[in-house]
Amino acid sequence: MHELAVTEDLLRIITDHAERGAATRVTDIYLVIGELSSFVDDSIQFYFDTLSSGTIAEGAQLHFERIKTRFRCRACGEEFEPQERDWRCPSCQALGGDVIAGKEFYVETIDVIS
Amino acid sequence: MSTSEKVSSTPRRVPVVETLLTANEEVAADNRAQFAAHHVKVINIMASPGAGKTTLLLSTIAAMAEHNIGVIEGDVASQVDADKIATTGVPVVQINTGGACHLDAPMIRHGVEALPLDELDVVFIENVGNLICPVSFDLGQSYNIGLISVPEGHDKPYKYPGIFEAVDLVVVTKSDLLPYLDFEVDTFRELVHGLNPRAQVLVLSAKTGEGVDAWVNWVRERL
């Protein structure tokens, strides 16, 4: 369950930013998570509810923006979303490409009350 | 859910834009610097449970007798794999993650304390058997290797793209089973290269020894 390690890090980051912004409470947390980073939303929220208890972020709601994997074709430069069992470029049929989206894994913003 | 308090002011939005797991990455960078200072290369092996990581390591240790090898074994529990490696006489550290599905950089930092880094040319890390979680945790390794055994099927890159995108080398193990199973090596290679053109794909059987030379040479060239 690597979501535990992730959630600990998440709490550290938002506490840091909230305190720097002289906030008294964090109400919402907006995360951007790429498909390739394989993290389970519910699991992060579950750990978060436990770990944030008694902190500035207690009761905060997590919001997940999921980013689909996108390839850039190495043959023709076309950018496309690979299908589950078909990685061919829709324009030139070359297989695969460089991953240009889907590996995101960051906290974008938080909503705080001062 | 906690009790909601009476909110007197409207929430305001604070930009953060900070990547998660940076704490792990900082320790990984320290590990990398430490390995460089000791002139030791570190190879992180990731694979499913049962793909043949320990068996390949045993063959590798036997084939590389001229080099000084150390091993870090990562498992959820037990000393089984470390005991097998210890029979070869190379220094080995067993890390039990106690339920966690991956090794992380602090575990490695602690684990290498028990290895004589100055005397070693290469340390192999056998990560916890899992194709997903280990990929997200940098350990400070020099190279990432993905192992996949023939029974797992050639369509694995479709199901676990993350690992195939992250590795420097893919080793297909248990090639002695190819005549009995429908693993299409060419299709597999095409998928891996579709995702990651820099990853070489080697095919071997630690049981028959076929292809082990090419793998050992790949390691030797990087020491």
Side-chain angles (χ1 to χ4, degrees):
Chain A
M1 294 308 294
H2 56 313
E3 279 80 3
L4 176 59
V6 168
T7 312
E8 284 168 345
D9 211 34
L10 169 64
L11 189 61
R12 182 188 59 79
I13 290 171
I14 57 160
T15 306
D16 193 36
H17 281 265
E19 282 171 359
R20 241 186 286 163
T24 52
R25 208 182 127 203
V26 179
T27 60
D28 295 87
I29 298 160
Y30 296 86
L31 294 153
V32 179
I33 301 188
E35 234 174 22
L36 286 173
S37 62
S38 314
F39 289 95
V40 183
D41 303 7
D42 288 349
S43 184
I44 296 179
Q45 179 79 60
F46 170 78
Y47 281 119
F48 188 81
D49 289 343
T50 309
L51 290 175
S52 65
S53 165
T55 74
I56 196 169
E58 179 170 348
Q61 179 65 43
L62 303 184
H63 304 269
F64 299 90
E65 185 189 347
R66 284 275 171 188
I67 306 289
K68 287 266 187 198
T69 305
R70 282 183 76 74
F71 286 172
R72 182 185 292 118
C73 176
R74 292 186 204 98
C76 75
E78 172 88 359
E79 295 181 2
F80 65 100
E81 208 173 279
Q83 301 307 300
E84 209 176 290
R85 293 182 72 90
D86 182 10
W87 286 352
R88 285 183 194 283
C89 166
S91 113
C92 78
Q93 303 302 307
L95 184 72
D98 294 323
V99 176
I100 54 166
K103 292 166 85 175
E104 298 77 4
F105 191 41
Y106 60 92
V107 189
E108 189 165 43
T109 53
I110 53 176
D111 287 346
V112 301
I113 294 169
S114 299
Chain B
M1 279 290 130
S2 72
T3 53
S4 60
E5 299 154 32
K6 262 257 184 278
V7 176
S8 53
S9 57
T10 332
R12 64 191 160 86
R13 190 147 291 184
V14 177
V16 177
V17 198
E18 199 168 318
T19 304
L20 288 155
L21 293 179
T22 46
N24 182 72
E25 275 159 30
E26 282 161 20
V27 179
D30 289 348
N31 289 350
R32 197 163 273 122
Q34 196 196 353
F35 299 145
H38 290 276
H39 307 289
V40 60
K41 290 291 188 321
V42 176
I43 297 180
N44 176 32
I45 302 176
M46 299 182 281
S48 307
K53 296 182 290 298
T54 312
T55 306
L56 180 63
L57 275 179
L58 291 169
S59 308
T60 309
I61 291 164
M64 293 183 67
E66 78 285 12
H67 285 101
N68 295 313
I69 297 174
V71 175
I72 296 175
E73 283 288 338
D75 282 293
V76 169
S78 96
Q79 182 82 15
V80 174
D81 284 350
D83 288 347
K84 283 188 204 160
I85 299 291
T87 61
T88 67
V90 306
V92 55
V93 177
Q94 176 78 53
I95 298 175
N96 285 140
T97 62
C101 49
H102 60 275
L103 291 173
D104 62 27
M107 292 179 200
I108 296 300
R109 178 171 62 186
H110 183 63
V112 294
E113 286 169 7
L115 288 177
L117 284 188
D118 272 332
E119 296 164 20
L120 300 179
D121 304 313
V122 57
V123 173
F124 292 101
I125 299 173
E126 183 179 332
N127 217 311
V128 179
N130 184 320
L131 290 180
I132 306 167
C133 317
V135 181
S136 301
F137 293 83
D138 187 4
L139 305 178
Q141 72 283 339
S142 323
Y143 300 100
N144 276 325
I145 312 291
L147 246 63
I148 171 178
S149 62
V150 163
E152 292 171 63
H154 57 251
D155 56 356
K156 215 93 204 214
Y158 280 133
K159 298 187 246 177
Y160 301 92
I163 183 167
F164 293 100
E165 211 258 338
V167 294
D168 301 291
L169 173 74
V170 177
V171 177
V172 178
T173 60
K174 308 187 189 181
S175 67
D176 51 296
L177 295 175
L178 281 170
Y180 313 105
L181 298 165
D182 297 327
F183 189 102
E184 295 166 14
V185 174
D186 290 343
T187 307
F188 176 73
R189 194 169 295 200
E190 210 185 359
L191 286 178
V192 170
H193 287 154
L195 197 60
N196 180 354
R198 74 195 158 82
Q200 222 179 310
V201 177
L202 299 176
V203 181
L204 60 79
S205 165
K207 186 174 174 152
T208 66
E210 194 188 358
V212 172
D213 279 357
W215 147 250
V216 168
N217 285 338
W218 187 95
V219 177
R220 279 203 190 104
E221 283 164 16
R222 277 151 189 87
L223 301 185

